[in-house]
Amino acid sequence: MKVAEVLTDLRGLTPDDLRARARDLEEQVFRLRLQQSMGQGEAGHKMRPLRRELARIKTVLREKGVRD
């Protein structure tokens, strides 16, 4: 899926849905960081897409004028 399509989908969600999705992504990133610190190398390549999606969600929330 292209970035423009992802942003269009995110913009169609309600602020509550976006916050819930952001919370879920933050938990996933936290778990991956723990795995990485414990020496499980598989976690590294999964973190970047999650962080990018989290940043996109936060951007859409700011565009809508919603504070976290």
Side-chain angles (χ1 to χ4, degrees), residues 15-51:
D16 291 333
D17 290 337
L18 290 170
R19 281 192 208 105
R21 203 165 183 184
R23 216 174 302 119
D24 182 47
L25 288 173
E26 287 171 352
E27 289 176 13
Q28 287 180 27
V29 169
F30 176 75
R31 286 190 201 113
L32 287 174
R33 274 198 194 120
L34 280 177
Q35 288 177 3
Q36 195 173 22
S37 69
M38 296 175 80
Q40 297 177 354
E42 339 169 321
H45 72 280
K46 296 178 184 177
M47 199 176 319
R48 188 175 186 180
L50 293 177
R51 287 180 27 224

Side-chain angles (χ1 to χ4, degrees), residues 50-63:
L50 293 177
R51 287 180 27 224
R52 285 186 175 193
E53 185 176 353
L54 181 60
R56 288 184 183 116
I57 290 171
K58 288 183 177 183
T59 300
V60 171
L61 281 171
R62 284 188 190 101
E63 286 175 354

